[in-house]
Amino acid sequence: VTGASFVVFNGALKTSSGFLAKSSIVEDGLMVQITRETMESLRQALRDKQDFRITCGKADTGDLKEYVDICWVENEEKTNKG
């Protein structure tokens, strides 16, 4: 679990790169590089207020993957008010 001050979603990852998605820590935030198709799905999920999971890592390996989960919550009392 990584806490971040901001998240950047970059939809320019090429499918020919061999990655499903890539995540990296940038300063005190998180950058997630995704394909155009995943970006379209993410945008729709945000419009519909649905949870969304991005699987990061190489497409052709069965190794341990990283996940970026976008979750909607009912209780906003524990969110950052600043």
Side-chain angles (χ1 to χ4, degrees):
V1 176
T2 302
S5 296
F6 64 90
V7 179
V8 175
F9 294 101
N10 178 343
L13 184 69
K14 305 286 185 209
T15 52
S16 60
S17 70
F19 284 91
L20 299 168
K22 292 200 271 186
S23 64
S24 55
I25 295 174
V26 180
E27 295 181 16
D28 60 341
L30 179 70
M31 180 172 68
V32 185
Q33 297 174 325
I34 56 179
T35 63
R36 183 183 327 148
E37 295 80 13
T38 303
M39 180 65 87
E40 290 170 8
S41 298
L42 172 60
R43 285 180 178 155
Q44 189 60 50
L46 292 173
R47 281 188 212 104
D48 297 341
K49 294 185 177 180
Q50 294 180 340
D51 294 350
F52 192 79
R53 173 174 271 194
I54 299 170
T55 304
C56 300
K58 285 271 196 184
D60 58 355
T61 62
D63 294 343
L64 181 65
K65 304 270 191 241
E66 293 180 1
Y67 300 98
V68 176
D69 290 319
I70 296 103
C71 303
W72 293 88
V73 296
E74 294 291 327
N75 184 354
E76 295 184 17
E77 291 177 13
K78 296 181 182 177
T79 60
N80 183 357
K81 297 190 189 271

